[in-house]
Amino acid sequence: METNFQWVISQLNCAVESEGLSNVINVIHWRYNATQVNGDKTYFADTYGSSSVAQPNPQNFIPYADVTEAEVINWLEQILPVDTMKLALENNIALQITPVEITLPLPWLHVIE
């Protein structure tokens, strides 16, 4: 059972001006999704967050309009513990496949049929 992972970038916050540069990305809002097919069922887990990014070097600065999704993902992969995130998502899916805990209705409440 192979787990597939995918980044989803939902928003980029920018400083209007910073150290002479315009529209400088300073926060990335993201989700990291995992899917796994097991038999005829597909399982899904995700995590989300926002991550601050450092002030860019003016010599390497990429204007906002030229930033690609791949570059933003690369920035995230440099600052986040991706291996730990993958493990947590795989563990979440494993618990969906083989639960060790369930939530039952309260025994003193009677369901009217």
Side-chain angles (χ1 to χ4, degrees), residues 5-46:
F5 299 95
Q6 178 186 20
W7 287 102
V8 177
I9 309 303
S10 56
Q11 183 176 319
L12 301 171
N13 293 9
C14 299
V16 173
E17 189 279 328
S18 181
E19 298 185 22
L21 302 171
S22 298
N23 300 328
V24 179
I25 297 169
N26 56 14
V27 177
I28 303 166
H29 298 264
W30 53 266
R31 297 187 88 81
Y32 196 49
N33 301 331
T35 55
Q36 187 180 106
V37 177
N38 185 347
D40 61 345
K41 292 183 90 176
T42 300
Y43 296 90
F44 176 83
D46 75 335

Side-chain angles (χ1 to χ4, degrees), residues 104-111:
L104 298 173
L106 298 172
W108 57 87
L109 296 180
H110 301 285
V111 177

